[in-house]
Amino acid sequence: MRAEPIATPAPPALPQRRGGAARLERAVLALAGNHGRVVEHRERSWASITFAGTRHTLRIVFDTPDAIAGGEALIASLPDHEFALPARLVADATVSAVDHVLQPAPQLTVTCEILLLEDS
């Protein structure tokens, strides 16, 4: 007797954020064709001698064929994208992890690291 794989549902999307974090999420999802769900968003303060800002870690799940294509577009375009965020400058944007599974259903999970500096 063969055991059937257990389907694990994707985590739900986070509640609607406001302010700069929400604008960042919308800008990143726009790169993915407005596909995907942000399932984790961590924000922590960052500072150097001359700059201050925040470092953001976003984990985004794509679980339909169109969404997965959007996630792949995000992976390709994020590092070189010029963001337009009010009073903020994106100093660094990288894809730090990608997890693509096919079973029990296709799903792409992308983790992004983004450093936002205060534009003064």
Side-chain angles (χ1 to χ4, degrees):
M1 181 172 194
R2 198 174 90 166
E4 292 295 317
I6 299 172
T8 56
L14 294 175
Q16 191 71 18
R17 288 181 168 259
R18 294 182 178 191
R23 284 191 289 276
L24 177 62
E25 286 183 9
R26 286 192 302 270
V28 170
L29 290 175
L31 289 175
N34 292 313
H35 293 286
R37 290 184 325 278
V38 176
V39 296
E40 182 179 6
H41 185 159
R42 292 186 317 242
E43 178 180 355
R44 57 194 177 280
S45 295
W46 180 93
S48 70
I49 292 173
T50 54
F51 298 103
T54 52
R55 181 168 293 279
H56 297 259
T57 303
L58 285 84
R59 191 163 52 98
I60 307 166
V61 172
F62 304 90
D63 56 8
T64 66
D66 288 342
I68 290 170
E72 291 168 348
L74 171 66
I75 292 166
S77 61
L78 180 68
D80 297 321
H81 183 71
E82 294 290 329
F83 287 89
L85 297 170
R88 299 287 185 264
L89 172 68
V90 175
D92 188 38
T94 61
V95 174
S96 59
V98 175
D99 184 27
H100 196 172
V101 297
L102 297 176
Q103 295 294 328
Q107 185 177 71
L108 176 67
T109 303
V110 178
T111 304
C112 307
E113 302 281 338
I114 301 171
L115 176 59
L116 287 181
L117 300 179
E118 295 172 6
D119 188 16
S120 47

